[in-house]
Amino acid sequence: MNNELVLQGIVASPGIAVGQAFLYEKEDFWIEERTISDGQVEEEVQRFLRVIEEVRGELRETRERLLEELGEEPARIFDAHVAMAEDQAILEETVDRIRRDRKNAEFAFFRTLRKVVKALRASEDPYLRERVYDVLDIQRRVASRLMGEPSPSLAHLEAEAIVVARNLTVSDTAHMHRQHVLGLVTEVGGSTSHAAILARALGVPAVVGVQGATDLVEPGDLVVVDGYRGVVHLNPDREALETYRKRRQSLLEQEARLSALRDLPAETTDGHRVSLEANIEFPEEVALCLESGAEGVGLYRTEFLFLVHPHLPTEEEQFETYWKVARKMAPRPVVIRTLDLGGDKLGLSAPPEANPFLGWRAIRVSLKHREAFLSQLRAILRASRLGNVRIMFPMISGVEEFSEAREMVEQAKAQLRQEEAEFDPDCPVGAMIEVPSAALTAERLAREADFFSIGTNDLVQYTIAVDRGNDRIAYLFDPFHPAVLRLIYETIQAGHSHGIPVALCGEMASNPLATPVLLGMGLDAFSMNPKSIPEVKEIVRRSSLSDAREVARRVLQMDRGGDVRDFLSDVL
């Protein structure tokens, strides 16, 4: 047996699995560039279109199989793949490249998708960066068929094993042998990848982002996949194996306990109710929201729609996506955030920025490109007739910016009325409070907005002047910093003084340590990763509002974030 080793990765799918390692190795994929003769061009175009149709058929068959086996929402993961294979802009651009440049079909297709890949990789949003693997999956499917090369598959795995790979696409995961794949380990990818989402739907424990896994693991090694802590344990001894066995049993009991809370309200022991909602980015996540007991969608990110196509999405394409979520969540509320991307990610004319994080992005881009903004607002308003939809603007810095954006909503309503299109005329419009200037003027903003949602991820970075993506200063990123807590408290108070609800949709909402203090500050809604809802609900239900208010009072008097965390740890 090889040496014992513990590797750290990222939690992708919960559960603990034990088995022997199977190394799933896919050869590097090289697409050759060839120039074809004039007489071969139309034949090459037809060859490309035939293969696209074959791939579409395969994707539809896979979707139907998943629909039958797992239900509608996991099957929807393949909707994006089918849409990409049917995207007329992608197909037309590829055909144009074949005809104009006289290049082979696989290379022309590669060049067309390259723009989409670059835009996704440049995104600041980890979820959107994960979509790169979906695009590459389609590219590999189409190119391998064009080149007559077989695609590797886990469908024929002959024995039970833990699959270890550099990367797994959603196709790999969908076609794997269900009885034989005990767990998954990959070097790249994140918890929001479609492969990870599908692994969760299948109930397969998975850990991703395990650097060097394929070099460190040997075929046949005994492997433990701890999908709760993001740990991969190679060749554990008997004592460690027994510890994992006991832990797995304990966690299963905890899951059963939390699952029993799903349909119970998030209500304190003295009768105060709050709303626990979910952050999502793709329609297929709605099923997980409902399974987790979410009382609504507190943050629906819309950036993915703008990055998967080589063109800006049409109003109709946006409407089709928004109404699916609104309809499935109805009558629960769905807060749809307007575009939160930099202009460079949209192919808009913009000079390079030294600091794009503080530059031309989010509502600033929308207000400069009004036609695109109106298109999105119209799509959201049209979806509002099918559910409880709310509009939220990101990165609002003050009243003037919010008022200008709200005026655009009124303009969109006027257009729809003229066209006799149905929408909710009272669709609420809110501001995301993630810039210190917005928090400091929340009293004034509350006169204009219908609701607030505090985005703590950016608020912490802007308030403390720290980039948590910078390893050298990431330790300074602290949601319990006294300045951050004060801004959150004052925003809640400002909202309530004008009778509007206040939610929080950053990672802080899912932090159990933060639950008592946010509850005591008077927060109305907590919006988080759906998986975190049961644990936060349990804390709310065993708390009293009076005790939570005392916790908040004491925390707001503290001078150091470390003291706040120590105190809250004792409270829990």
Side-chain angles (χ1 to χ4, degrees):
M1 179 180 286
N2 290 327
N3 293 334
E4 184 175 359
L5 192 61
V6 177
L7 307 175
Q8 185 65 50
I10 301 167
V11 171
S13 179
I16 295 176
V18 181
Q20 290 188 311
F22 172 80
L23 262 64
Y24 181 55
E25 297 177 306
K26 293 189 283 189
E27 295 180 5
D28 289 339
F29 201 60
W30 174 255
I31 297 176
E32 181 184 4
E33 177 183 3
R34 289 184 290 104
T35 301
I36 59 178
S37 67
D38 290 342
Q40 295 174 305
V41 168
E42 289 309 312
E43 182 182 343
E44 191 73 359
V45 167
Q46 293 306 313
R47 190 170 73 93
F48 169 68
L49 295 176
R50 279 196 305 272
V51 165
I52 286 291
E53 191 54 45
E54 290 170 3
V55 169
R56 284 176 186 161
E58 289 177 355
L59 291 170
R60 292 191 192 105
E61 286 176 12
T62 301
R63 189 196 188 286
E64 289 304 310
R65 181 169 56 80
L66 289 176
L67 177 64
E68 185 177 334
E69 296 175 3
L70 300 174
E72 177 66 26
E73 295 307 324
R76 279 188 182 275
I77 290 174
F78 273 85
D79 285 351
H81 284 60
V82 173
M84 207 176 305
E86 293 178 342
D87 191 299
Q88 287 303 306
I90 289 176
L91 300 184
E92 288 170 9
E93 186 171 335
T94 302
V95 169
D96 285 346
R97 286 183 183 277
I98 296 172
R99 288 175 172 154
R100 182 186 66 241
D101 302 335
R102 292 192 296 113
K103 297 297 181 184
N104 52 313
E106 55 269 34
F107 183 77
F109 190 56
F110 160 73
R111 289 300 298 269
T112 299
L113 292 184
R114 189 178 176 188
K115 290 193 300 185
V116 179
V117 170
K118 286 175 71 175
L120 290 170
R121 279 183 171 151
S123 173
E124 295 164 0
D125 188 325
Y127 184 94
L128 294 176
R129 290 198 297 270
E130 288 295 336
R131 302 287 74 76
V132 166
Y133 301 114
D134 296 335
V135 179
L136 295 178
D137 189 17
I138 289 291
Q139 179 182 294
R140 188 177 191 110
R141 274 177 173 266
V142 173
S144 61
R145 188 174 285 268
L146 283 166
M147 295 187 294
E149 296 180 1
S151 295
S153 173
L154 289 168
H156 308 297
L157 193 62
E158 295 179 351
E160 291 184 345
I162 303 292
V163 174
V164 181
R166 170 159 172 72
N167 180 41
L168 290 173
T169 66
V170 67
S171 296
D172 292 324
T173 312
H175 292 100
M176 67 187 184
H177 195 298
R178 306 287 169 76
Q179 285 70 46
H180 289 170
V181 176
L182 303 176
L184 303 171
V185 178
T186 68
E187 293 184 341
V188 300
S191 61
T192 55
S193 70
H194 279 153
I197 292 170
L198 194 52
R200 290 194 288 271
L202 292 167
V204 178
V207 177
V208 299
V210 184
Q211 295 184 9
T214 57
D215 292 326
L216 296 168
V217 178
E218 295 292 335
D221 275 354
L222 185 62
V223 179
V224 175
V225 177
D226 185 343
Y228 294 103
R229 296 187 303 166
V231 166
V232 177
H233 197 152
L234 306 183
N235 303 308
D237 59 23
R238 287 186 178 180
E239 185 178 349
L241 281 173
E242 180 61 18
T243 299
Y244 279 113
R245 187 193 67 77
K246 290 179 178 177
R247 220 175 127 257
R248 178 165 54 186
Q249 184 59 36
S250 174
L251 288 166
L252 288 173
E253 292 170 1
Q254 180 187 25
E255 280 185 4
R257 186 181 77 249
L258 293 177
S259 178
L261 301 176
R262 186 182 71 176
D263 298 323
L264 298 176
E267 184 175 302
T268 62
T269 56
D270 46 0
H272 177 72
R273 284 193 66 167
V274 293
S275 182
L276 301 186
E277 302 171 356
N279 298 340
I280 69 167
E281 199 144 9
F282 210 67
E284 74 259 17
E285 294 175 281
V286 168
L288 184 57
C289 294
L290 298 175
E291 289 168 13
S292 302
E295 297 174 70
V297 170
L299 173 62
Y300 180 15
R301 305 179 184 96
T302 59
E303 289 73 39
F304 175 65
L305 277 171
F306 289 80
L307 292 173
V308 294
H309 300 295
H311 59 79
L312 292 178
T314 65
E315 178 183 326
E316 203 61 33
E317 287 169 336
Q318 293 182 70
F319 167 71
E320 286 292 324
T321 302
Y322 302 152
W323 81 261
K324 287 175 184 175
V325 175
R327 181 175 58 83
K328 286 184 175 293
M329 289 300 297
R332 303 169 187 85
V334 175
V335 179
I336 302 179
R337 184 180 70 185
T338 59
L339 184 65
D340 188 7
L341 283 175
D344 60 315
K345 308 297 191 304
L346 301 174
L348 302 174
S349 178
E353 294 182 288
N355 192 346
F357 192 63
L358 296 174
W360 196 51
R361 54 174 285 216
I363 197 65
R364 300 167 181 179
V365 172
S366 295
L367 290 174
K368 289 296 182 183
H369 288 267
R370 294 180 172 241
E371 287 306 312
F373 192 28
L374 273 174
S375 177
Q376 181 171 36
L377 292 174
R378 285 168 54 95
I380 297 172
L381 286 168
R382 288 172 57 200
S384 69
R385 70 180 175 85
L386 299 162
N388 185 357
V389 170
R390 302 169 187 183
I391 300 170
M392 182 165 68
F393 302 132
M395 209 178 174
I396 290 294
S397 60
V399 173
E400 185 174 5
E401 207 167 38
F402 182 83
S403 297
E404 189 178 353
R406 183 149 199 166
E407 179 55 37
M408 293 290 290
V409 176
E410 295 307 313
Q411 188 176 335
K413 288 181 180 178
Q415 290 180 357
L416 292 173
R417 286 192 189 98
Q418 191 172 9
E419 297 166 15
E420 298 184 352
E422 293 183 61
F423 65 93
D424 176 9
D426 300 316
C427 180
V429 180
M432 198 163 179
I433 307 298
E434 53 190 335
V435 178
S437 61
L440 291 168
T441 57
E443 177 76 26
R444 294 173 176 83
L445 269 169
R447 299 171 192 159
E448 308 291 329
D450 298 321
F451 64 91
F452 285 158
S453 188
I454 304 170
T456 49
N457 296 355
D458 279 354
L459 184 63
V460 173
Q461 296 190 90
Y462 289 135
T463 301
I464 311 175
V466 56
D467 177 6
R468 63 176 172 165
N470 184 332
D471 293 339
R472 298 174 70 179
I473 57 172
Y475 70 94
L476 291 170
F477 183 90
D478 184 7
F480 296 108
H481 189 291
V484 175
L485 294 174
R486 174 57 59 181
L487 289 176
I488 292 172
Y489 176 70
E490 290 180 355
T491 298
I492 295 171
Q493 294 304 302
H496 289 176
S497 70
H498 289 275
I500 67 170
V502 182
L504 190 146
C505 61
E507 289 180 12
M508 190 179 185
S510 63
N511 187 336
L513 279 183
T515 304
V517 68
L518 294 174
L519 189 63
M521 286 180 177
L523 190 70
D524 299 298
F526 299 64
S527 191
M528 65 198 78
N529 184 307
K531 295 183 297 179
S532 301
I533 289 174
E535 185 177 8
V536 172
K537 183 182 286 188
E538 184 178 47
I539 295 170
V540 170
R541 287 183 59 82
R542 72 180 186 218
S543 303
S544 74
L545 182 60
S546 57
D547 287 347
R549 284 173 172 164
E550 176 61 18
V551 168
R553 187 189 68 79
R554 293 185 61 181
V555 160
L556 287 168
Q557 294 176 343
M558 294 181 180
D559 299 325
R560 296 178 177 86
D563 293 342
V564 172
R565 281 189 297 277
D566 291 343
F567 172 67
L568 293 175
S569 295
D570 291 340
V571 168
L572 286 180

